[in-house]
Every structure is written in C-alpha cells, then in structure tokens.
Amino acid sequence: MAMEDNDYMIPGLEGEENLIAAAKHIVRALGSKKNLTNNEKKVLADLGNQLSTMTIVNENEGEEISEIELQLNAVQEKIMSREVDESMIWEGGSTEGLEYLNVVNEARKLTERLDRLCVDKGDDENEHLRRAYNVLQIAMARLEEEFRHILVEHRQPLEPEHLSFRSSEEDAADFCSINSFCDDSFEAPIQRDGASRTSEERIIDLVNPDVIYDLRCIANSMFQSNYICECSQSYISVRKDAFDEYLFILEMEKLSIEDVLRMEWGALNSKIKRWIRAMKFFVRLYLSRERWLSEQIFGDLGSVGLNCFVEASKASILQLLNFGEAVSIGPHKPEKLFPILNMYELLTSLLPDIDALYSDEAGSCVRNEYYEVIKRLGDSVRAACLAFENAIASSTSTNPFAGGGIHPLTKYVMNYINILTDYSETLNFLLDDCEGEHHITLSPETSPAKEEGHTRGETSPDISPMAFLFRSFASILECNLEEKAKLYKDPSLVQIFLMNNIYYMTQKVKSSELRHVFGDEWIRKHNWKFQQHEMNYERATWSSILALLKDEGNSSADSISKTPLKERFRSFYLAFEEVYKTQTAWLIPYPQLRDDLRISTSLNVIQAYRTFLGRHKNHVSDKLFKYSADDLENYLWDLFEGSPKSLHNSYRR
C-alpha cells in the first residue's frame, strides 16, 4: 500500500511530536496485518508502548515549561522592580536583602532547569532560557553593586587609639650622628622588637561586623551562579582603596628607589623610623585582620578568600618592601647601620606572620620578595660594618687634639660598638658566614686574632663573630690613636693622650655589656697598657727635673759649692713652673685616673725635694727656697684640669 509522507502528518503537531505520531500510525498499520509472526507482533507491541511513553513525556515537558514560564515571569517582575527603585536593597535591612537573595536563588534554579530541558529544543524553549539568563545577569550585576556598596559604606574608620603606640625608635632622639656617639651620657634608645605587643595585639574591625553575614550571603549566591569572579574583583578593588588609605594614615608615601637614594640622611632616617612603625602595625594589625575579613566573607568558597586577600594587599605590602630594598642598596655609611639593623630585626620578627598570612601559592610572590629584602638588608649590615671599620682606619687629623684629652673618635667608636651589643644575636648570625664571603677583612697588623696568638684561621672557638669584629674595631682605633699621638711635639703629652684614650676604652668595656664581648684578658692587657703610658709620662716629664735634685759622686754636703747648688735650685724651680704652666692646661677627664697620676707624681717629686732640702738647708740662705714641699704638693694637684695657670715669680721671704 503506497502512502504519501503527508499521510502520516497530524494537523496541529510539529517537529518531534509529529514524528512520534507518524511512527504510531505506522505501528498500527503494520499491526493490522494477519500474517505476522509472534515475534513480529511482540516487537510492534513494545514499539507502540515506547511511543506512548514518549508522548506522555513530551506532554509533561510541555507542562513543566509552561510552569517555569509562569515562575520566570514572577521572578523577573520582582527583580526588575528593584531595578526601578534607586535605593540600595540592604539599606532596608538584612531581612529585605535576604528576601532579594531568595528571588535571585529562584532565578538561578529556573535557569538551571531550563538549561537541562532546552537541549535540542525549539526556539520557544531557548527563548525562555535566554530570558532567564538575562534576568540572572541583571540580578548578579545588582548584587555586585550591593556588595561593593556595603563594603564601602560600612568600612570602619581608623581611630586615633589605633595609632597611639609609638615605637621607641620614633620617641628617641636621632642617635645616628657623630655628636650623639661622642656624648658619654648617651644611651641607645633601642627596645627589642616584641618587648611590648599590647598595641599590636589589639583587635580592630576593618568592616562593621554586623554586615559580614550579608556580604557572605551575597558572595555565596554569586559563587553558585558562576559570578564569583565579579564578586572577587569588587572586593579586591574596594579593599585596595582601603589599604591605600591605611598607608596614607601611617604617612607612608609612595617613593621610588631613586627618590630614596636621593634623600638626605636626616630625612631618610626619619622615614626609616616611620617605616618601622608602619610595617609593624600594617602586618600585625591590618593584614591579620584583612585575612580574617576575607575568610569570613569567602570562607565557604575554597581558595577564593586567600586569593582575594593576596590581591587586595599585595600592592601595599610590596610598596613597603620596596622602601626597605631602596634603603638596603643605598650608600653603606656607618650611621646607617643601626636603622638597617632595626629594619632587619623587624622583618625577621614578622616572618612567622608573613608566612602564615601568605601561606599558599597565591602569596608566594609576597613571601619571595619579603625574603629577598631581608637578605639585602643583611648584606647591608655586613657592608655597613666594613664601612665603619674603614672609617676608623681612615680618620685623619692635621692638628693634635687640644689638651691630650679623650679624642672624639675614641668616644664615637666605643659608644658605637657598645650600642651594637644590643644586636648581638643578629650580628653573630649575620657575621657567622660559613663560606666566609661576608667576613670583615682585617689587615694582619690590626687583627685581634694576632693579639690573642692566633692566625685568622685559628681563632679561638670561644670568640664569637661579633667579638672578633669588635676587637678588630678596637685594634684599628688604637693604631689610629698612635698616629694621632705623633702630632704632639711634647713627648709627655703623647703619653697623656694615649693614657687617656686607652683608659677610656678600658673603662667603657669594664662598665658595659662590652665586658662579656671583649673578655677579662683584653681588660687586663689594656689596664697594663695605660699604666705603661702613665709610667712613660713620669719618665718623660720628671726624670730630667728630678736629676737636678740628686747629688753627684760621693762628695759630702759640706764640700758642695754654694754657687752650683743655687743654680740647681733655680733650675728646678724654673722647670717645675714650666711644667705647672703647661700641664695645668692638659686634661685628664677621669678623676680617679687624674688623682692616681697626681699621687704617683707627688710621691716621687715631693720625696726627692724633701730629701734635697733636708740635705742642703744649712748650706744656703732661706731666701733661696722659693717653694716649700707642701707648696709643691699643692701645686701638683692643680695639674691636668684643662685650665692653664702660672705660679707667682717671687721668692718667699
């Protein structure tokens, strides 16, 4: 029986439904034949059942799409009504915001249902799907706007008490100048990091805690709708602006490396102090709370929270690290050593915080840069130590230091290294380079190892790297002082100058933490040194004068010619008066040292004078005795006061 294709078409049906109807018509036609086998009848029956089921499914899908269309219309109306209203949804409260999220959730579910139903469907169904996606997109754009608005409007201001803690470095006077180190009353105002963390442990809210739940709900909704990228970018953008504000409040301006290198030392030192304070607050206060905030908002979304935190904070932390790098590559002057040590110690103390905050792969760029800056600062510390050593060695003078007192270089060096003892752990770590590439290089003449009987490679294991360095500084200083002493024309003043300065060095070591660095053997050796200079002074000053009071040969007092005796008295008095006039202008600043030298001199001079007077007082007139022994003893106590005086030029009557 021949049939046209149109014989199978059922009016009012199209597409898949028409095909099913045609197939059912064929099955019925074949089933009417009488010569079919049982197997053929069974196959046709099964095919008929399947076609009937497909008809029912299609009818159900049609009903479902109709139902979805009604729901989509309702959802679209609710979402579009919010677009007409210019007010922000969450300004009406969390309840209103959550109601909107429920509508958005319905839109997402409708989109997902249509997406499943509209595979290879007709244009009508795909049109429903396109409309659902448009509605969802409008809702996502609104949520992104609401999310940003909540973050901005509910950002907590930084209160004055957040910044009330001032670091000890900032409160202190500028201690990185020569004048400061030459002041014996000066003490380094250095407080080790971590001595007081009360302020750093203060909990602050970067965003009002009341809105965090709303932000979390919005983020979750956008994540479920595959719009988490837009949500993340909004968060990063807003929080970047917040970080810029924090740095502005902390007075940390953006400076290029060139800006830092061109800066005068006074201005740079001030900025370093400000940087130390800012870095401490930024890491322990702001960054820790920012990480917490991102975890609260994106905590259910895997690594999204950490990625947002890293991207939001990266530019600001790298800006701070960029300043540290700029300082590290600048000129390595001795006065920079203390600020650089403070920077190095701060960064190392913050290492656990940085490792915890930027723990994932996303934060590796920050961690790597952080470690690199620490390394550069460590290299700068070594370079500054070498610069200080060179500065001691190259310090020259064209004129002798007036009065033979303690040279400013001596005070500078000893105060400098005394303050460095506060950094002993750091210095020992940085100077203890097993490969030796960063060791301070010493000349054989100034090596403290040579003084202790060791070569460079045989230094006692009991001597720490810092102790070796400090002994090097002291040895170079002594060599420099010996060169400066050669500028004096008076041999006696040479000894006074060296005695004063060695005594100062010894006392500085004995009365400070330097004692544990230099050791008792060094102190004993230098006690002996200044005592040698004391004895050398007495020989240079008084030997020739006391020779006038000695009787020559075995002649008795009665046989001594009165004229030579008179000349010897006169010569002695003139020599004593010259010593008095000269050496009252010399200075021994330490009272104990000054008194010891006066007593020692008095014992020798007055005893010799008394003996000479006793032997010859019956052979010359009393008019010849210009000064009594008590007079001379009193005059000797005027020496070394730093104020020149003259004795009366008249004989005692």
Side-chain angles (χ1 to χ4, degrees):
M1 179 179 62
M3 292 184 295
E4 297 293 337
D5 290 341
N6 290 336
D7 292 342
Y8 297 101
M9 300 301 177
I10 301 174
L13 298 181
E14 296 181 358
E16 184 180 325
E17 293 178 351
N18 224 327
L19 289 174
I20 293 172
K24 291 171 71 176
H25 183 77
I26 294 172
V27 169
R28 285 195 298 270
L30 292 173
S32 63
K33 291 185 176 183
K34 296 180 180 181
N35 58 346
L36 292 177
T37 66
N38 291 332
N39 287 336
E40 289 174 337
K41 291 179 180 179
K42 185 177 184 302
V43 169
L44 289 174
D46 291 341
L47 181 58
N49 291 334
Q50 291 178 13
L51 292 173
S52 298
T53 301
M54 291 175 63
T55 302
I56 295 172
V57 169
N58 281 343
E59 291 175 354
N60 291 338
E61 287 181 354
E63 293 175 0
E64 184 177 0
I65 289 176
S66 298
E67 177 189 347
I68 290 175
E69 183 178 9
L70 292 175
Q71 294 176 354
L72 180 59
N73 290 337
V75 168
Q76 183 176 11
E77 182 180 355
K78 292 177 181 178
I79 289 176
M80 296 310 296
S81 66
R82 293 304 317 193
E83 294 302 303
V84 176
D85 188 351
E86 295 182 356
S87 65
M88 304 304 292
I89 298 173
W90 266 263
E91 286 183 351
S94 295
T95 302
E96 188 172 341
L98 291 177
E99 290 176 356
Y100 184 78
L101 285 178
N102 289 333
V103 176
V104 174
N105 190 45
E106 290 181 31
R108 176 179 58 79
K109 290 180 179 179
L110 289 173
T111 304
E112 292 172 352
R113 289 174 64 188
L114 283 169
D115 198 34
R116 289 193 302 269
L117 291 171
C118 292
V119 177
D120 297 328
K121 297 293 181 180
D123 291 338
D124 290 343
E125 287 79 359
N126 287 327
E127 179 60 31
H128 293 324
L129 180 59
R130 282 192 291 271
R131 187 156 64 93
Y133 270 121
N134 288 337
V135 171
L136 185 61
Q137 186 174 5
I138 292 171
M140 289 297 108
R142 182 56 179 264
L143 285 183
E144 181 182 351
E145 183 182 0
E146 295 281 341
F147 186 83
R148 176 185 291 272
H149 180 78
I150 294 172
L151 276 175
V152 172
E153 292 301 315
H154 293 274
R155 189 169 71 191
Q156 297 288 77
L158 294 180
E159 302 297 338
E161 60 266 22
H162 295 161
L163 306 175
S164 61
F165 174 75
R166 290 173 60 82
S167 66
S168 57
E169 293 89 353
E170 191 173 48
D171 285 331
D174 180 4
F175 58 90
C176 295
S177 65
I178 292 179
N179 291 334
S180 295
F181 283 115
C182 291
D183 183 2
D184 285 330
S185 63
F186 167 76
E187 293 182 1
I190 299 172
Q191 180 184 8
R192 300 274 58 81
D193 185 77
S196 174
R197 293 186 58 156
T198 304
S199 176
E200 297 158 19
E201 292 174 349
R202 182 187 297 118
I203 300 299
I204 65 170
D205 292 312
L206 305 180
V207 173
N208 189 334
D210 295 338
V211 302
I212 290 180
Y213 178 75
D214 295 330
L215 292 169
R216 187 187 188 102
C217 291
I218 294 174
N220 287 339
S221 179
M222 296 186 72
F223 175 78
Q224 292 168 354
S225 302
N226 296 322
Y227 278 81
I228 192 59
C229 182
E230 289 78 0
C231 182
S232 300
Q233 289 303 316
S234 291
Y235 179 88
I236 292 168
S237 174
V238 172
R239 297 312 300 164
K240 272 186 176 180
D241 292 341
F243 275 115
D244 289 340
E245 180 183 320
Y246 299 154
L247 291 183
F248 177 79
I249 293 173
L250 290 171
E251 300 177 345
M252 291 306 301
E253 57 187 304
K254 289 185 178 180
L255 297 171
S256 67
I257 291 178
E258 291 73 19
D259 292 334
V260 175
L261 294 179
R262 286 195 298 265
M263 205 171 291
E264 293 293 331
W265 168 240
L268 178 58
N269 190 33
S270 177
K271 290 190 180 298
I272 289 175
K273 294 174 184 178
R274 193 176 300 159
W275 180 89
I276 289 173
R277 169 174 167 258
M279 193 74 184
K280 192 182 301 183
F281 273 103
F282 194 77
V283 173
R284 287 185 174 153
L285 199 62
Y286 302 147
L287 285 184
S288 62
R289 294 305 291 172
E290 184 70 31
R291 174 71 184 265
W292 179 88
L293 177 64
S294 65
E295 288 175 348
Q296 292 301 304
I297 296 175
F298 301 104
D300 299 331
L301 310 180
S303 62
V304 174
L306 177 59
N307 292 339
C308 285
F309 162 75
V310 171
E311 291 302 316
S313 63
K314 182 167 62 177
S316 295
I317 187 67
L318 292 180
Q319 176 185 333
L320 290 171
L321 293 176
N322 184 65
F323 177 83
E325 181 181 2
V327 172
S328 72
I329 64 177
H332 299 120
K333 298 179 180 179
E335 61 266 24
K336 289 180 64 176
L337 179 55
F338 293 96
I340 291 176
L341 276 168
N342 287 333
M343 295 174 73
Y344 178 88
E345 287 196 342
L346 174 68
L347 290 186
T348 53
S349 73
L350 295 176
L351 262 178
D353 301 81
I354 293 297
D355 284 339
L357 290 167
Y358 297 95
S359 55
D360 210 342
E361 181 64 27
S364 61
C365 60
V366 174
R367 291 198 314 275
N368 292 341
E369 182 64 21
Y370 195 91
Y371 277 86
E372 181 63 25
V373 173
I374 288 179
K375 179 182 178 298
R376 287 178 177 272
L377 288 172
D379 292 341
S380 294
V381 169
R382 300 184 191 96
C385 287
L386 183 59
F388 181 61
E389 186 179 73
N390 293 334
I392 300 171
S394 61
S395 174
T396 59
S397 302
T398 56
N399 297 311
F401 187 64
I406 302 168
H407 198 278
L409 179 65
T410 307
K411 293 183 178 181
Y412 179 82
V413 171
M414 297 309 296
N415 282 319
Y416 191 99
I417 63 177
N418 183 35
I419 297 167
L420 279 178
T421 58
D422 286 343
Y423 301 91
S424 58
E425 184 177 348
T426 298
L427 284 173
N428 280 322
F429 173 77
L430 291 175
L431 297 172
D432 188 19
D433 184 351
C434 60
E435 297 180 359
E437 62 180 285
H438 294 303
H439 273 309
I440 302 300
T441 303
L442 304 176
S443 63
E445 293 75 14
T446 61
S447 171
K450 179 183 177 183
E451 293 184 2
E452 301 294 337
H454 301 282
T455 64
R456 176 66 173 165
E458 299 173 347
T459 305
S460 170
D462 295 333
I463 300 178
S464 67
M466 186 182 75
F468 193 91
L469 177 67
F470 284 11
R471 293 184 187 189
S472 168
F473 291 157
S475 296
I476 296 172
L477 173 60
E478 289 181 51
C479 292
N480 190 292
L481 291 172
E482 289 174 2
E483 290 299 313
K484 294 184 186 305
K486 295 177 182 178
L487 297 172
Y488 294 105
K489 296 179 179 179
D490 192 327
S492 299
L493 190 52
V494 169
Q495 302 304 320
I496 291 292
F497 174 76
L498 292 174
M499 179 189 67
N500 272 331
N501 285 272
I502 298 299
Y503 185 84
Y504 178 89
M505 293 172 65
T506 308
Q507 290 301 114
K508 202 69 179 179
V509 170
K510 289 169 63 177
S511 62
S512 68
E513 289 297 315
L514 289 172
R515 184 179 196 122
H516 305 297
V517 179
F518 282 83
D520 292 338
E521 181 61 31
W522 187 95
I523 294 174
R524 283 192 293 270
K525 180 177 180 178
H526 285 75
N527 278 335
W528 177 84
K529 276 189 176 182
F530 78 74
Q531 290 169 1
Q532 285 295 113
H533 290 303
E534 183 178 340
M535 289 188 290
N536 292 341
Y537 157 78
E538 292 185 17
R539 282 195 293 267
T541 301
W542 297 105
S543 293
S544 60
I545 297 175
L546 293 179
L548 297 171
L549 301 179
K550 292 181 179 179
D551 293 328
E552 299 176 359
N554 297 320
S555 60
S556 65
D558 293 338
S559 63
I560 294 178
S561 170
K562 294 182 180 180
T563 302
L565 186 61
K566 182 178 180 180
E567 289 302 321
R568 289 172 70 183
F569 270 107
R570 187 185 300 275
S571 296
F572 173 79
Y573 290 141
L574 288 174
F576 185 90
E577 289 169 357
E578 183 61 29
V579 168
Y580 182 87
K581 178 182 178 181
T582 301
Q583 297 192 15
T584 52
W586 296 357
L587 178 64
I588 299 179
Y590 279 97
Q592 183 64 47
L593 181 61
R594 186 169 61 240
D595 291 347
D596 288 347
L597 187 56
R598 286 167 173 173
I599 292 172
S600 176
T601 301
S602 180
L603 287 174
N604 292 328
V605 175
I606 303 306
Q607 180 62 36
Y609 184 67
R610 288 184 191 278
T611 301
F612 193 74
L613 283 180
R615 183 176 297 172
H616 301 294
K617 65 180 179 179
N618 295 327
H619 302 282
V620 293
S621 169
D622 288 346
K623 295 179 180 179
L624 188 63
F625 303 145
K626 189 174 183 179
Y627 306 110
S628 68
D630 291 340
D631 290 336
L632 294 182
E633 186 172 9
N634 290 333
Y635 291 143
L636 286 175
W637 283 86
D638 291 337
L639 302 182
F640 317 124
E641 293 283 355
S643 177
K645 299 178 182 178
S646 295
L647 293 173
H648 298 295
N649 293 319
S650 59
Y651 282 85
R652 293 173 70 248
R653 299 291 180 184

